[in-house]
Amino acid sequence: MKNVEKYQRGYFMPPVESLKWTRKEYIDHAPMWCSVDLRDGNQALIIPMSLDEKLEFFNHLVKIGFKEIEIGFPAASETEYEFCRTLIEKNMIPDDVTIQVLTQSREHIIKKTFEAIDGAKHAVVHLYNSTSVAQREQVFRKSKEEIVKIAADGARLCNEYREKAKGNIIFEYSPESFTGTEPEFALEICNAVLDIWQPSADKKVIINLPVTVEMSLPHIYASQVEYMCDNLKYRENVIVSLHPHNDRGCAVADSELGLLAGADRIEGTCFGNGERTGNVDIVTLAMNMFSHGVDPKLDFSDMPALVELYERVTRMKVYERSPYAGRLVFAAFSGSHQDAIAKGMKWRDEKDPDHWTVPYLPIDPKDVGREYDGDVIRINSQSGKGGIGYLLEQKYGYNLPKKMRENFGYAIKNVSDHKHKELMPEEIYEIFKNNYLNVSSPVSVSESHFVQETDGTITASVTAAIPGKGTAVYSASGNGRLDAVANALKNAIPLDFTIESYEEHAIDRHSSAEAVSYVGISANGKTVWGAGRNTDIIVSSINALLSAINHILKD
């Protein structure tokens, strides 16, 4: 690719080796979560949310379980300021929820920020200034000492305004563009701010290490985070926070490795909305923990409701393949995948295991408010008999014999291939019903009577309507009722067939128990299937036989 020489690695390794995080296997507890949907996420929208939309989203974030929510940059616009004041004045912030507001290290902005949070019971004032080489040289054109002074001056101003404020206010500092900053300088400026704020056990300080722009592989970021965690002053009273963006598509990995490296807190958004490629997707991050048996302390059990709200108020879309939340993330179209899922679900029914191990499904879709039928097994021309049969069983209660599933599967695939579209469950059931179930044309049976003979055989008298012959009674004997009916029908129609398979099961839908029968007959060198359904098992089996016979006669 052309112009590759234009680019170079713009990150910095820590001055000492920081690899303790590599010895950890997984994240064993939930971090502190801070949603920035209403600030970072909102500022990245083409059409920012209205006040009512932000209030609705805020309430839903609280419902999910967020205890810290960054609500905006109140000095940036009157809309942001009004939102903050509305939450406080209308007493909409639960006592266990802390709002967070962002401010640059400039006095008039800090002053306006403290005015905005006046009356809040719990608030985080988030101070930041940019520290990277590129920002220092190109944007601010200041020395390291001057950049440190910007941060220190802002920290002192925060102290002064907090002394006059009411409520529980804690501070957060971000060396913005941390990933493009020399780790030694990031440490120096953070420690300078900490010296001013003097964190204590009852007044902790948050040091946020933002991936303002992703520049490295995730393990580099983890090493940077570990270096900071190991060398920050007052560490026992400092909450190390991460705010990863997704420029290289690695925000989730940055966050996970950063937590292994010692971070305590994550700032991100639902579904990863944010500037450029977005923030870390908290849904994915939290659900990854959930899939390892770790409670993320956030409740995504009604994922469809969150998706609906998010798409409506942000005018953004959750990608169909977005982990855990996308419309198709649990969907299996492939025949082999469908078969494995169907067998895995059957195994669960048989064994009732303690843990979820179904092939191809990392979590139970029902744990995020999704259903097996329609969400998991999806039918198109690539689907297989296992998935099609599973859907018919789960949705409508028909447990087709293995060979019949194969026959029906080919029929469904042919329809989907011809129409070039996915088939919905109701369409699949309609095909089954029209072609296999209680098919009473061209031959129909209105009555059947049976006599037990002394030699153990059964004689059947069948009243059948035959095209060209009208309605008549036909009799024959067999080694069972269905065999006797089959022999009687052979006397009525010019078709030589043999019953190859018969299965039955009860079906209980809408409080009326019925029997379903499946019959496979061989004729003219091929096996054809039919199904019958009735409250009487004998009638059900005859209907299944007739369905198979009529299938052949129609052909």
Side-chain angles (χ1 to χ4, degrees):
M1 188 169 173
K2 292 181 180 178
N3 299 324
V4 66
E5 67 280 354
K6 186 188 297 184
Y7 302 97
Q8 63 178 352
R9 292 176 291 279
Y11 58 85
F12 300 90
M13 288 292 291
V16 296
E17 186 177 83
S18 302
L19 294 173
K20 294 192 296 293
W21 60 269
T22 62
R23 297 192 288 273
K24 298 178 183 177
E25 181 184 348
Y26 66 99
I27 301 164
D28 60 5
H29 65 280
M32 301 168 67
W33 300 105
C34 178
S35 162
V36 295
D37 289 271
L38 300 173
R39 197 278 300 173
D40 198 333
N42 185 60
Q43 75 182 34
L45 297 175
I46 297 172
I47 303 174
M49 287 177 269
S50 67
L51 176 61
D52 287 342
E53 287 170 337
K54 292 180 81 171
L55 291 171
E56 183 182 4
F57 204 168
F58 177 86
N59 288 333
H60 202 89
L61 292 170
V62 170
K63 180 181 178 182
I64 288 168
F66 283 98
K67 300 303 180 186
E68 296 180 16
I69 302 172
E70 188 170 82
I71 59 170
F73 196 146
S77 72
E78 283 306 308
T79 301
E80 298 283 283
Y81 187 88
E82 181 187 4
F83 176 49
C84 184
R85 293 310 309 158
T86 300
L87 288 173
I88 296 168
E89 291 170 7
K90 292 190 175 182
N91 198 28
M92 298 180 68
I93 307 167
D95 289 346
D96 63 343
V97 172
T98 299
I99 58 169
Q100 179 169 302
V101 288
L102 189 68
T103 179
Q104 292 174 335
S105 187
R106 301 168 69 183
E107 184 169 9
H108 71 284
I109 294 177
I110 293 172
K111 179 177 183 292
K112 183 80 170 179
T113 301
F114 274 88
E115 290 173 359
I117 61 172
D118 182 47
K121 295 177 183 176
H122 304 282
V124 174
V125 172
H126 183 181
L127 176 75
Y128 76 95
N129 68 306
S130 202
T131 60
S132 69
V133 174
Q135 292 270 6
R136 295 193 317 257
E137 291 180 350
Q138 300 172 37
V139 180
F140 298 102
R141 302 194 177 194
K142 291 183 181 295
S143 66
K144 288 182 179 179
E145 293 75 19
E146 290 171 308
I147 295 296
V148 172
K149 184 177 185 304
I150 292 173
D153 288 347
R156 292 188 188 95
L157 286 168
C158 286
N159 274 345
E160 291 175 16
Y161 281 99
R162 184 168 66 179
E163 288 177 6
K164 308 169 192 175
K166 301 173 184 176
N168 178 33
I169 298 173
I170 66 172
F171 294 146
E172 173 176 350
Y173 174 69
S174 287
E176 195 209 0
S177 61
F178 168 76
T179 45
T181 304
E182 308 92 321
E184 303 96 313
F185 180 56
L187 181 66
E188 177 188 343
I189 197 167
C190 288
N191 279 337
V193 170
L194 289 172
D195 281 336
I196 295 166
W197 281 343
Q198 291 290 307
S200 61
D202 60 346
K203 219 64 164 181
K204 292 191 175 184
V205 166
I206 301 167
I207 291 294
N208 189 51
L209 306 176
V211 183
T212 309
V213 179
E214 268 191 322
M215 293 182 170
S216 68
L217 275 66
H219 75 286
I220 301 295
Y221 181 59
S223 294
Q224 293 167 339
V225 170
E226 186 173 276
Y227 170 75
M228 295 293 288
C229 288
D230 286 348
N231 293 282
L232 282 169
K233 292 183 178 181
Y234 317 98
R235 180 64 182 96
E236 69 279 6
N237 296 319
V238 172
I239 297 166
V240 175
S241 176
L242 311 179
H243 184 121
H245 279 254
N246 200 40
D247 302 87
R248 292 170 54 92
C250 299
V252 169
D254 287 335
S255 300
E256 290 181 329
L257 298 191
L259 289 172
L260 291 180
D264 310 296
R265 182 178 184 266
I266 294 287
E267 295 185 351
T269 59
C270 296
F271 312 120
N273 181 34
E275 292 282 17
R276 306 182 312 279
T277 54
N279 290 280
V280 64
D281 181 347
I282 283 184
V283 172
T284 298
L285 194 56
M287 291 305 301
N288 282 355
M289 295 179 196
F290 181 80
S291 72
H292 281 174
V294 177
D295 185 357
K297 305 300 183 182
L298 294 174
D299 184 1
F300 294 113
S301 59
D302 192 355
M303 195 73 77
L306 175 59
V307 171
E308 185 281 325
L309 170 66
Y310 170 82
E311 293 188 335
R312 175 164 48 81
V313 302
T314 67
R315 289 91 174 163
M316 303 280 283
K317 291 293 181 184
V318 175
Y319 174 49
E320 288 89 340
R321 304 290 182 187
S322 183
Y324 304 105
R327 187 170 56 86
L328 297 178
V329 296
F330 300 113
F333 290 97
S334 161
S336 61
H337 290 205
Q338 291 175 343
D339 185 59
I341 291 170
K343 288 175 178 174
M345 298 297 289
K346 185 176 181 180
W347 187 86
R348 283 189 62 80
D349 290 340
E350 294 170 353
K351 307 294 185 181
D352 191 25
D354 293 331
H355 298 102
W356 180 264
T357 58
V358 174
Y360 297 111
L361 296 179
I363 67 165
D364 185 345
K366 288 192 173 182
D367 286 335
V368 288
R370 302 286 290 274
E371 296 298 328
Y372 299 140
D373 52 332
D375 278 336
V376 176
I377 303 296
R378 305 285 291 269
I379 305 303
N380 63 14
S381 61
Q382 306 302 307
S383 303
K385 61 183 184 297
I388 294 168
Y390 178 78
L391 190 150
L392 198 63
E393 180 179 2
Q394 292 296 309
K395 186 78 173 177
Y396 299 102
Y398 294 92
N399 184 12
L400 276 57
K402 182 178 179 181
K403 290 292 184 181
M404 187 178 183
R405 286 191 180 205
E406 183 175 346
N407 181 274
F408 182 54
Y410 282 121
I412 293 298
K413 290 172 69 167
N414 286 339
V415 172
S416 177
D417 197 29
H418 178 71
K419 292 186 175 183
H420 299 288
K421 75 182 199 68
E422 178 187 0
L423 297 179
M424 297 296 103
E426 55 271 18
E427 294 178 280
I428 293 167
Y429 179 61
E430 199 65 25
I431 294 169
F432 173 73
K433 188 170 64 174
N434 292 339
N435 291 276
Y436 293 87
L437 183 63
N438 291 351
V439 181
S440 57
S441 176
V443 176
S444 64
V445 170
S446 56
E447 288 186 66
S448 300
H449 300 281
F450 304 95
V451 175
Q452 177 80 50
E453 305 294 350
T454 56
D455 62 355
T457 60
I458 299 290
T459 297
S461 296
V462 178
T463 302
I466 311 294
K469 292 186 178 182
T471 300
V473 177
Y474 302 90
S475 298
S477 297
N479 57 16
R481 286 178 172 81
L482 188 61
D483 187 47
V485 171
N487 291 334
L489 290 174
K490 287 177 185 178
N491 293 332
I493 57 177
L495 179 65
D496 184 24
F497 64 88
T498 302
I499 296 177
E500 295 287 344
S501 177
Y502 173 76
E503 292 186 26
E504 65 185 41
H505 65 77
I507 192 168
D508 187 3
R509 300 189 68 80
H510 310 301
S511 302
S512 59
E514 293 184 286
V516 177
S517 303
Y518 309 99
V519 171
I521 64 174
S522 62
N524 303 325
K526 66 177 182 178
T527 299
V528 179
W529 291 87
R533 177 172 173 170
N534 197 274
T535 54
D536 186 317
I537 186 62
I538 301 302
V539 176
S540 170
S541 62
I542 294 172
N543 287 347
L545 175 62
L546 278 171
S547 295
I549 291 172
N550 284 326
H551 196 95
I552 294 174
L553 295 179
K554 282 182 178 181
D555 288 345

